[in-house]
Amino acid sequence: MEDLLSARLQMAISLGFHIIFACIGMVMPFLMAFSHWKWLQTNKDEYLHLTKTWSKGVAIFFATGAVSGTVLSFELGLLWPGFMEHAGPIFGMPFSWEGTAFFIEAIALGLFLYGWNKINKWVHWATGVVVGISGVASGIFVVAANAWMNSPSGFDWVNGQAINIDPVAAMFNDAWFSQALHMTLAAFVSTSFAVAGIHAFLLLKHPGHSLHQRAMKIALTFGAITALLQPLSGDISAKDVAVRQPAKLAAMEALFKTSKPADLVIGGLPNVEQQRVDYAIHLPRFLSFLAHGDFNAEVKGLDSIPRDEWPPVVVVHVAFQIMVAAGMAMALIGLVFLFFAWKKKHLLFHKTFLTIVALATPLGFIAVEAGWTVTEVGRQPWILYGIMRTSDAVSPMSGLMYPMITFTILYLILAFLVTWLMARQIKVLHETYKPELQEA
């Protein structure tokens, strides 16, 4: 295996694991704080036990997210020294702010975990909210750094060197808002549906368990609202990518020829050699509208891009289709949930609906992984879009396959330990809390 591929795989595997921990770390504190608020309002034991159980999950994922995030920061320097030589002084600001948010999150989490019955109850609740806010802020700062790689700004590139550096302009680049919005909503959708799915599965095993009923309703409320908002952020992102990264949009839609108007492609498998998409459904003119808000607008195809600058079309297109399909499925489930909660409360915990929610447990994280595949693979062959190729930034050190294998094994062990710890928390919950079976 060549070193460039090994380095890219190591980053992909590291990011693939970390993004799950990061999403959960961003969103679980808000679920925890909402449950805590409900307990303060109602004094019902289910909310107190749920809050304490979720807080332990927050602590576990905070620790694992910190570890996996630290590994990623080291990998940037070790695997991509050609990139970091120039990028460090330019996009260091969002990482500095991310570090600040991380420390605030750590302090607030410590106060929340150990503040029970020691500080004012509303101050205690507020520390949980601060954990969530700082976690989301941390994620936004990291995404701003990634957005800079997709939309370089805040410097002039002269003779292979960055000059006239403006870190503020680099941080608030043209892509930061659309990427941060889309990623933040994705974190809420994926985590909320995963939590709801786990509690739906437990309800199938323990019908009428009021704690799991309340947990599922809280998580699905967050998940449903954000899942219905996500297509709006997707529209913002699509219009942004159409202007800044036409090659990425063309790969997402497998649009080989510049078209006016352009069809939206649903599904299908790109045939790069023949430059067509097999087995796809075409919606006439819809890509023109989604990309530019005009059904007759021209959309640049891959034929307008030099062949050596094409992203891997098959990977990007399939990942994009998976992301959209998973997102639409969750939006539909969320819509059904909101309707049931409004008009058909007796169906919320029907076995069929619980089964659907349980089966949807991994959908959000599948969408997140697919979305990041589109973002990162769709930028190739550039590590810094339009300026520096990935092949020019990789470490000259040979044998990069071995650290890639080592880190993969370590992440698998970490994932196993986290899963075991969370399963143990659920087991402890059932052993220590046995409510009457009732409707929530």
Side-chain angles (χ1 to χ4, degrees):
M1 183 184 296
E2 65 180 49
D3 290 330
L4 175 60
L5 179 59
S6 297
R8 289 181 62 191
L9 283 175
Q10 183 174 336
M11 287 297 296
I13 292 166
S14 299
L15 181 59
F17 276 98
H18 175 69
I19 199 169
I20 294 176
F21 301 144
C23 285
I24 296 173
M26 289 167 65
V27 177
M28 277 301 300
F30 286 101
L31 302 182
M32 174 190 77
F34 186 84
S35 176
H36 191 188
W37 176 77
K38 291 288 288 184
W39 174 66
L40 292 172
Q41 291 290 314
T42 66
N43 204 34
K44 290 184 177 180
D45 284 345
E46 290 95 337
Y47 290 121
L48 175 60
H49 283 271
L50 184 59
T51 301
K52 290 188 174 182
T53 299
W54 278 351
S55 69
K56 293 174 183 176
V58 169
I60 290 170
F61 281 102
F62 176 81
T64 51
V67 171
S68 59
T70 302
V71 170
L72 274 170
S73 64
F74 279 110
E75 286 178 343
L76 276 174
L78 294 174
L79 297 176
W80 311 104
F83 170 69
M84 292 303 295
E85 177 186 356
H86 304 286
I90 305 173
F91 77 159
M93 179 176 284
F95 282 117
S96 299
W97 280 110
E98 190 275 335
T100 302
F102 172 81
F103 282 116
I104 294 172
E105 183 180 6
I107 293 168
L109 180 58
L111 289 171
F112 186 86
L113 292 175
Y114 298 103
W116 291 98
N117 303 319
K118 294 182 178 68
I119 56 179
N120 177 274
K121 63 180 183 180
W122 288 107
V123 173
H124 183 224
W125 172 80
T127 62
V129 176
V130 171
V131 174
I133 293 173
S134 54
V136 168
S138 180
I140 289 174
F141 289 132
V142 171
V143 171
N146 179 268
W148 176 78
M149 298 167 70
N150 287 300
S151 181
S153 60
F155 66 97
D156 295 320
W157 191 255
V158 179
N159 298 325
Q161 297 292 324
I163 61 173
N164 301 325
I165 294 172
D166 183 349
V168 176
M171 179 173 168
F172 295 106
N173 56 79
D174 291 341
W176 85 269
F177 175 76
S178 60
Q179 279 197 215
L181 176 64
H182 199 62
M183 185 62 234
T184 302
L185 288 174
F188 272 89
V189 175
S190 57
T191 302
S192 299
F193 268 85
V195 172
I198 290 170
H199 287 284
F201 174 76
L202 293 169
L203 278 171
L204 290 170
K205 294 180 63 177
H206 308 280
H209 195 292
S210 60
L211 184 145
H212 295 312
Q213 289 178 337
R214 297 183 193 283
M216 192 187 91
K217 287 173 68 176
I218 291 172
L220 267 186
T221 299
F222 278 84
I225 294 171
T226 50
L228 292 171
L229 290 174
Q230 188 67 301
L232 299 178
S233 77
D235 181 66
I236 294 172
S237 295
K239 288 178 169 57
D240 179 58
V241 169
V243 174
R244 290 186 302 96
Q245 294 177 296
K248 179 183 287 187
L249 181 68
M252 288 159 60
E253 283 295 322
L255 183 68
F256 290 100
K257 294 182 180 180
T258 300
S259 302
K260 181 182 179 180
D263 296 351
L264 181 69
V265 174
I266 299 177
L269 188 64
N271 184 327
V272 179
E273 294 301 322
Q274 299 294 323
Q275 296 195 9
R276 67 171 189 265
V277 186
D278 298 324
Y279 320 114
I281 298 172
H282 292 258
L283 299 181
R285 300 174 179 265
F286 269 82
L287 181 58
S288 293
F289 179 75
L290 290 176
H292 300 291
D294 179 356
F295 282 104
N296 296 308
E298 179 180 270
V299 180
K300 291 183 179 180
L302 290 166
D303 60 344
S304 66
I305 310 295
R307 186 66 179 83
D308 65 340
E309 295 180 11
W310 285 18
V313 179
V314 176
V315 174
V316 176
H317 176 77
V318 171
F320 179 68
Q321 298 298 315
I322 291 172
M323 179 189 71
V324 172
M328 294 305 293
M330 289 183 291
L332 179 59
I333 294 171
L335 195 61
V336 171
F337 164 74
L338 293 176
F339 175 73
F340 284 173
W342 178 42
K343 287 289 188 180
K344 303 285 185 181
K345 289 183 172 60
H346 64 284
L347 295 177
L348 278 175
F349 306 112
H350 190 279
K351 184 176 180 180
T352 301
F353 186 63
L354 290 176
T355 301
I356 292 172
V357 175
L359 291 174
T361 301
L363 271 185
F365 291 120
I366 291 173
V368 167
E369 300 287 4
W372 270 101
T373 298
V374 172
T375 299
E376 298 302 291
V377 179
R379 188 178 62 242
Q380 299 305 315
W382 306 100
I383 190 170
L384 188 57
Y385 188 72
I387 293 176
M388 181 183 294
R389 289 178 179 263
T390 308
S391 57
D392 295 331
V394 71
S395 170
M397 183 178 69
S398 60
L400 295 181
M401 175 179 66
Y402 301 107
M404 185 271 291
I405 294 172
T406 301
F407 277 96
T408 300
I409 294 172
L410 290 174
Y411 273 113
L412 288 172
I413 294 172
L414 185 62
F416 171 79
L417 289 174
V418 170
T419 303
W420 176 77
L421 285 170
M422 295 306 297
R424 184 172 177 272
Q425 290 301 318
I426 293 172
K427 182 180 179 181
V428 170
L429 172 65
H430 278 283
E431 289 176 349
T432 58
Y433 182 73
K434 300 182 184 298
E436 294 182 6
L437 302 184
Q438 57 187 1
E439 286 294 324

